[in-house]
Amino acid sequence: MSPTPRNLRKFGDGLLAVSATITGAAIAGGNDVLAYIALGFGVIGKFLTNFFAE
């Protein structure tokens, strides 16, 4: 249970924020496939950053 390095934590948070924005825009535009893909990339990317430790 070591802390995640700062640069990876920032990368994961940024990835999640961008994917949330793309997902929202895709839902508003009616593009469900893009919404699911963006949501998946964001969640998986944020989850994978938890495997790194200082």
Side-chain angles (χ1 to χ4, degrees), residues 11-20 22-23 33-49:
F11 176 73
D13 291 343
L15 181 63
L16 189 59
V18 169
S19 73
I22 293 171
T23 300
V33 175
L34 178 61
Y36 288 127
I37 291 170
L39 182 64
F41 274 121
V43 171
I44 291 170
K46 178 65 177 166
F47 178 74
L48 289 177
T49 61

Side-chain angles (χ1 to χ4, degrees), residues 20-32 34-35:
T21 303
I22 293 171
T23 300
I27 290 171
N31 192 345
D32 293 338
L34 178 61

